[in-house]
């Protein structure tokens, strides 16, 4: 049945896609601005002390670093608490990196919509979401780093970030002014419509000689694009090219991040409600997760609307735009969604290289007190053989795969491999995870012993 509305002559006319979308945008914006979840997150962050929260689980035990591994089975109660807290740190450190990407790309696409009449509220909502992300990032960084510092110390943190910086730098390619404008020109010329206004946000950065990306980002998008600065810039230019379709298409990438986060965070939100119902102490990180989950529900609504519906209100995409949009999703499947972790139940990269240094530092910290060789021996048992934790991770991954398929199945411009998430489905076996980690661990242990 076609929805209708009365025009001024009293006759009924179809409600357009634009009108339906704007109605939901208005409602979401009102609900988001009326909520106080971001303020609660900020308050919890400002008052956070690890010692006040250290004797409590922050989520169900299943959401713990190394859960189900041989080491976890032998860990003491205090060690299991530490593993639970480091699960929170690891995941929200990654979420912070991803939300930093969102901050940039929200502004890139918002300025495209701002140039189109009738989408003022959408631009305001995206600007408000960007402001919220700043508060989220600050809270995650403060709570996570304070907690990790208490558990592995400054020396361990320094080694961890040095290793991760080294890994992310492997794909680094310095972006010269020539490359910047070259990639920008390709995006503009291929957009096909000379009347379109290039993202005012990007134009403003150019006028100030401040390019959108000066180094590769390390969130879900950056890692999926293999830390390639030219690739990350290329997609950013396309999303900001002035094409309303491409601006909407970015939100198919953002919804992947939204659903990924929901798959992990929903369980913590349920844990919060269980503690609240039983009148038990609620750790600050648990509460932060709960309020973030509620904040993100508004963001997810917008992502879903733009990715699935609103793009239909604009001109159909060109062959080039379809290709760029499909390539972005394909690379997210191969990267962010392209594996299974042996030690984190909600992480799906091809291997655990980014987490090995954290585990290595933890096992040598006072809470475990191992020698370097003892730590490596235990790591080999946890990373390089099948155990219960991998079974849990596989079930979580399957649940996410099914949700991704439900979302993408009716997006008409997608390749079949993207619509059905075929690449994600093919890359998530336990055997493959163990096989990849054996090779990764071999390189890691050699670097440690060198």
């Amino acid at each position: 049945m076609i929805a209708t509305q009365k025009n001024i002559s009293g006759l009924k006319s179809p409600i357009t896609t634009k009108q339906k979308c704007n109605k939901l945008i208005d409602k979401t914006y009102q609900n988001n601005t009326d909520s106080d979840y971001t303020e609660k997150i900020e308050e919890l962050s400002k008052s956070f002390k690890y010692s006040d929260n250290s004797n409590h689980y922050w989520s169900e035990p299943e959401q713990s670093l190394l859960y189900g591994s041989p080491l976890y089975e032998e860990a003491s109660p205090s060690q299991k608490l530490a593993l639970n807290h480091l699960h929170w740190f690891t995941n929200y450190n990654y979420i912070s990196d991803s939300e930093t990407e969102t901050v940039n790309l929200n502004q890139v696409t918002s300025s495209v919509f701002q140039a189109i009449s009738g989408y003022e509220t959408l631009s305001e909502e995206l600007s408000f979401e960007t402001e919220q992300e700043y508060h989220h990032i600050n809270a995650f960084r403060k709570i996570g780093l304070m907690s990790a510092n208490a558990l592995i110390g400054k020396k361990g943190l320094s080694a961890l970030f040095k290793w991760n910086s080294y890994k992310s730098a492997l794909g680094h390619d310095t972006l010269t002014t020539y490359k910047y404008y070259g990639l920008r020109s390709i995006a503009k010329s291929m957009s096909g419509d000379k009347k379109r206004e290039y993202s005012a946000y990007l134009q403003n950065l150019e006028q100030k000689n401040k390019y959108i990306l000066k180094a590769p980002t390390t969130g879900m998008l950056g890692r999926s694009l293999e830390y390639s600065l030219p690739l990350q810039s290329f997609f950013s230019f396309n999303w900001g090219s002035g094409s309303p379709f491409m601006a909407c298409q970015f939100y198919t990438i953002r919804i992947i991040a939204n659903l990924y986060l929901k798959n992990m965070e929903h369980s913590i939100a349920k844990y919060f409600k269980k503690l609240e119902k039983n009148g038990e102490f609620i750790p600050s990180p648990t509460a932060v997760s709960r309020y973030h989950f509620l904040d993100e529900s508004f963001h997810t609504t917008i992502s879903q609307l733009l990715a699935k519906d609103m793009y239909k209100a604009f001109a159909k995409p060109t062959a080039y735009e379809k290709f760029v949009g499909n390539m972005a999703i394909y690379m997210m499947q191969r990267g962010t969604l392209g594996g299974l972790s042996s030690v984190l139940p909600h992480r799906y990269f091809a291997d655990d290289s980014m987490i090995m240094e954290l585990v290595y530092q933890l096992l040598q910290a006072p809470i475990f007190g191992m020698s370097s060789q003892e730590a490596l021996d235990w790591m080999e048992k946890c990373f390089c053989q099948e155990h219960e934790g991998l079974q849990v991770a596989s079930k979580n991954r399957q649940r996410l795969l099914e949700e991704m398929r439900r979302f993408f199945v009716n997006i008409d411009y997608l390749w079949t491999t993207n619509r059905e998430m075929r690449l994600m489905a093919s890359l998530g076996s336990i055997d493959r995870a163990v096989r990849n980690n054996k090779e990764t661990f071999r390189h890691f242990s050699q670097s440690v012993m060198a």
Side-chain angles (χ1 to χ4, degrees):
M1 180 180 294
I2 299 175
T4 60
Q5 63 178 0
K6 287 187 177 181
N7 60 26
I8 56 175
S9 65
L11 299 176
K12 292 184 177 180
S13 58
I15 297 176
T16 66
T17 298
K18 177 180 178 180
Q19 290 168 331
K20 287 189 289 185
C21 290
N22 278 342
K23 183 177 181 180
L24 183 54
I25 289 167
D26 290 344
K27 181 180 179 181
T28 303
Y29 178 63
Q30 188 65 52
N31 290 339
N32 197 6
T33 53
D34 285 347
S35 74
D36 60 353
Y37 305 130
T38 302
E39 289 83 353
K40 289 180 178 178
I41 290 172
E42 191 172 23
E43 290 170 8
L44 289 163
S45 170
K46 287 179 178 179
S47 62
F48 177 76
K49 293 181 180 178
Y50 180 71
S51 57
D52 294 341
N53 298 269
S54 60
N55 294 322
H56 303 270
Y57 277 93
W58 297 352
S59 60
E60 295 289 359
E62 190 176 275
Q63 287 186 285
S64 298
L65 182 66
L66 293 160
Y67 178 82
S69 70
L71 179 71
Y72 190 87
E73 297 306 312
E74 295 194 20
S76 68
S78 61
Q79 291 169 339
K80 288 181 176 178
L81 279 174
L83 294 171
N84 183 258
H85 300 165
L86 283 172
H87 174 275
W88 196 98
F89 159 71
T90 303
N91 278 291
Y92 281 98
N93 188 59
Y94 177 43
I95 291 166
S96 296
D97 292 339
S98 301
E99 293 198 341
T100 299
E101 295 172 343
T102 299
V103 164
N104 283 327
L105 292 167
N106 273 3
Q107 294 175 89
V108 169
T109 54
S110 176
S111 62
V112 173
F113 295 126
Q114 197 169 21
I116 305 172
S117 177
Y119 292 96
E120 291 79 12
T121 304
L122 174 60
S123 295
E124 291 177 10
E125 167 63 19
L126 293 175
S127 296
F128 187 67
E129 289 180 13
T130 299
E131 182 182 341
Q132 290 177 308
E133 300 292 24
Y134 281 118
H135 292 291
H136 297 167
I137 292 166
N138 289 336
F140 299 154
R141 296 289 193 209
K142 179 182 177 183
I143 294 173
L145 290 174
M146 288 178 69
S147 303
N149 182 54
L151 293 168
I152 64 175
K154 290 183 179 179
K155 182 179 178 181
L157 270 177
S158 177
L160 169 64
F161 286 116
K162 182 179 180 181
W163 172 260
N164 286 347
S165 296
Y166 165 74
K167 292 294 292 183
S168 64
L170 292 179
H172 179 76
D173 186 332
T174 302
L175 185 63
T176 62
T177 302
Y178 175 79
K179 287 180 180 177
Y180 179 94
Y181 283 108
L183 292 168
R184 176 188 187 276
S185 296
I186 291 172
K188 288 192 72 175
S189 63
M190 293 301 291
S191 66
D193 186 347
K194 302 302 181 184
K195 296 179 181 179
R196 291 174 182 159
E197 287 295 326
Y198 184 62
S199 168
Y201 172 70
L202 290 179
Q203 289 185 39
N204 184 52
L205 290 178
E206 289 170 358
Q207 290 169 3
K208 296 179 180 178
N209 201 33
K210 294 180 179 179
Y211 303 142
I212 183 171
L213 296 174
K214 294 187 177 181
T217 60
T218 56
M220 294 183 190
L221 178 62
R223 295 187 189 189
S224 293
L225 299 181
E226 299 177 346
Y227 311 102
S228 168
L229 194 51
L231 264 182
Q232 291 181 49
S233 299
F234 176 72
F235 281 107
S236 298
F237 299 146
N238 278 282
W239 289 321
S241 65
S243 161
F245 168 80
M246 288 306 302
C248 287
Q249 195 279 320
F250 161 66
Y251 292 87
T252 63
I253 302 304
R254 204 178 82 162
I255 194 67
I256 289 174
N258 294 143
L259 296 177
Y260 187 113
L261 175 60
K262 178 184 174 184
N263 193 45
M264 183 275 292
E265 206 166 39
H266 184 238
S267 298
I268 308 179
K270 287 171 64 178
Y271 182 70
F272 172 97
K273 293 181 73 174
K274 183 178 78 171
L275 295 178
E276 185 179 51
K277 181 179 179 181
N278 295 337
E280 299 179 42
F281 175 78
I282 299 176
S284 293
T286 308
V288 166
S289 295
R290 162 66 173 167
Y291 296 131
H292 185 252
F293 179 74
L294 296 172
D295 254 355
E296 284 295 315
S297 68
F298 302 121
H299 303 192
T300 300
T301 297
I302 295 297
S303 294
Q304 178 171 318
L305 185 68
L306 270 62
K308 288 186 72 173
D309 299 311
M310 205 176 89
Y311 77 90
K312 297 174 185 176
F314 304 110
K316 290 186 177 182
T318 65
Y320 169 78
E321 290 174 337
K322 289 181 182 179
F323 175 77
V324 172
N326 273 285
M327 279 304 300
I329 297 171
Y330 185 86
M331 296 187 81
M332 288 291 283
Q333 283 198 74
R334 188 182 66 178
T336 290
L337 306 173
L340 193 66
S341 174
S342 294
V343 299
L344 282 167
H346 295 89
R347 189 70 70 91
Y348 310 119
F349 287 118
D351 60 55
D352 281 323
S353 59
M354 298 296 283
I355 202 67
M356 285 187 181
E357 180 66 25
L358 173 62
V359 175
Y360 181 67
Q361 294 299 328
L362 170 65
L363 297 183
Q364 293 181 88
I367 193 165
F368 280 95
M370 295 183 186
S371 68
S372 174
Q373 189 57 56
E374 287 174 326
L376 290 173
D377 290 344
W378 273 107
M379 287 174 66
E380 186 170 17
K381 295 176 185 176
C382 297
F383 283 96
C384 303
Q385 64 186 41
E386 186 174 342
H387 52 71
E388 182 189 351
L390 270 166
Q391 299 289 344
V392 172
S394 181
K395 290 178 182 177
N396 291 335
R397 189 181 193 280
Q398 184 61 33
R399 182 173 64 245
L400 178 61
L401 172 62
E402 291 169 0
E403 190 161 6
M404 292 282 184
R405 282 173 165 168
R406 284 194 295 272
F407 181 84
F408 285 105
V409 66
N410 292 319
I411 298 182
D412 55 20
Y413 65 86
L414 294 183
W415 301 334
T416 302
T417 191
N418 286 332
R419 192 179 301 116
E420 298 178 1
M421 289 283 124
R422 289 183 178 180
L423 189 60
M424 178 185 178
S426 69
L427 296 176
S429 73
I430 290 175
D431 286 345
R432 181 174 181 272
V434 172
R435 185 170 62 252
N436 286 346
N437 271 353
K438 285 180 178 178
E439 182 65 15
T440 304
F441 178 75
R442 183 175 67 82
H443 289 297
F444 177 82
S445 58
Q446 288 174 350
S447 71
V448 167
M449 301 303 290

